[in-house]
Amino acid sequence: MAKVYADLLANIYSERASSSFSPGDFKRTLGSCQPLFSGYGQQDSQEFLSFLVDALHEDLNRIHKKPYIENPESEDKTVNDSEAICALGEKFRENHRARNDSVAMDLFSGFYKNTMVCPQCNKVSITFDPFSLLTLQLPMEVTWTHTVTFAPLHKAPVQIAVDMDKNGTIRNLKEYVAKRITPSPKWNQLMAAEIYSHKFYKLLEDNKTIAETSISDTDEIVLYELDDIPTNFPGPSPKHNKVRSMVTYGNTSSDEEKPDPDSPRGD
């Protein structure tokens, strides 16, 4: 694998390289060393890179007679000692280098620190495991853009363009809108609701994230300015013999208890 890979690089990057090159020898050798990559089926690129790095390491390993070495064990009294843990990690690296010494290891190897705690005796064991590839998440869009409506108490509604973290909460949305209004209202004096067909469809709770509420691009979100900070929303925990109020009909939150008309909560 090391020889055909060197030929591949030479034919691609050589000053005397032709305008096109077919990596046939590399493909045939790859298939003979690892049957998973024989043929022309679609394969995982990460598995290919992992095998290529390991194959180059084995071909170029400077250690031909590998000694048997046992790795040390961590001590309970040093699990919180950063200097002792660093020394333990260097010992693991030294033992690994005694058996694996190649340019592939020089360029691509690293070590995971693994900490295991026994659930019964609480003994802590710290080890270091080598790796040649590090798996990372794909970069995902983390911003949420939407145009919401702010309905003040005594003025005409206005449209506000929102661009914020989609993992932010409805409270963060209220704070975002409140900062862009003059004079600025209190964030907790705003009620956020989704409107559908000119009716309340869903009230948006402060602790829910934008992603959890599943707001689509066409959903109409309105933030209403209230006379005061509400004291009865969200409602109490659900109990038996409940009925839905008109506002919470269709809401994904728990059913609110219908208060007695003569009580302060009824007002």
Side-chain angles (χ1 to χ4, degrees):
M1 283 301 301
K3 290 181 179 179
V4 295
Y5 185 64
D7 292 338
L8 174 68
L9 297 182
N11 282 281
I12 292 177
Y13 296 107
S14 173
E15 295 180 356
R16 299 186 297 274
S18 58
S19 59
S20 63
F21 171 69
S22 175
D25 290 341
F26 177 79
K27 178 66 173 65
R28 283 189 293 271
T29 305
L30 175 66
S32 63
C33 294
Q34 174 52 273
L36 177 66
F37 300 111
S38 61
Y40 295 93
Q42 185 174 354
Q43 302 295 338
D44 185 77
S45 59
Q46 181 178 353
E47 291 182 1
F48 162 71
L49 289 175
S50 178
F51 172 77
L52 179 60
V53 171
D54 288 341
L56 293 176
H57 162 64
E58 291 298 335
D59 285 351
L60 302 175
N61 195 354
R62 305 179 184 102
I63 308 299
H64 299 287
K65 187 176 181 180
K66 300 181 179 181
Y68 174 75
I69 303 176
E70 289 189 3
N71 287 318
E73 295 185 0
S74 60
E75 299 179 1
D76 292 342
K77 61 182 180 180
T78 61
V79 293
N80 296 319
D81 187 343
S82 58
E83 294 184 359
I85 296 302
C86 287
L88 180 66
E90 289 299 327
K91 186 62 178 179
F92 270 81
R93 185 191 300 271
E94 179 182 330
N95 292 349
H96 184 263
R97 178 69 67 181
R99 295 172 52 87
N100 302 276
D101 186 11
S102 70
V103 64
M105 291 295 101
D106 295 340
L107 296 175
F108 300 113
S109 69
F111 284 82
Y112 287 119
K113 176 191 173 187
N114 292 325
T115 303
M116 298 183 65
V117 181
C118 178
Q120 296 183 358
C121 66
N122 292 325
K123 179 177 175 58
V124 180
S125 174
I126 298 178
T127 59
F128 293 84
D129 297 328
F131 69 88
S132 58
L133 292 178
L134 186 62
T135 303
L136 301 175
Q137 291 183 341
L138 290 173
M140 305 297 290
E141 183 65 38
V142 295
T143 59
W144 178 73
T145 57
H146 200 85
T147 299
V148 302
T149 302
F150 172 68
L153 277 172
H154 306 296
K155 295 181 181 180
V158 293
Q159 301 286 314
I160 298 178
V162 177
D163 185 355
M164 58 178 288
D165 185 357
K166 71 176 182 180
N167 294 316
T169 62
I170 299 300
R171 171 178 174 170
N172 298 143
L173 173 62
K174 293 180 179 181
E175 293 171 340
Y176 184 99
V177 171
K179 291 179 180 178
R180 283 153 181 80
I181 300 298
T182 303
S184 179
K186 296 180 179 179
W187 73 266
N188 51 4
Q189 208 166 321
L190 302 179
M191 183 185 77
E194 180 181 340
I195 305 302
Y196 179 74
S197 188
H198 308 289
K199 299 178 182 178
F200 286 108
Y201 175 70
K202 182 168 60 178
L203 297 181
L204 306 181
E205 299 180 24
D206 292 342
N207 61 340
K208 298 292 184 181
T209 65
I210 299 295
E212 287 176 327
T213 54
S214 302
I215 301 174
S216 67
D217 294 338
T218 58
D219 289 343
E220 182 181 359
I221 306 300
V222 182
L223 277 74
Y224 296 91
E225 183 181 9
L226 307 179
D227 280 315
D228 204 346
I229 300 174
T231 59
N232 61 346
F233 180 80
S237 300
K239 301 177 182 177
H240 295 291
N241 302 324
K242 298 294 185 301
V243 296
R244 285 187 181 271
S245 68
M246 293 299 293
V247 173
T248 58
Y249 182 77
N251 197 352
T252 57
S253 60
S254 302
D255 294 348
E256 289 190 74
E257 179 183 7
K258 184 177 180 181
D260 189 282
D262 297 329
S263 72
R265 283 193 60 245
D267 294 335

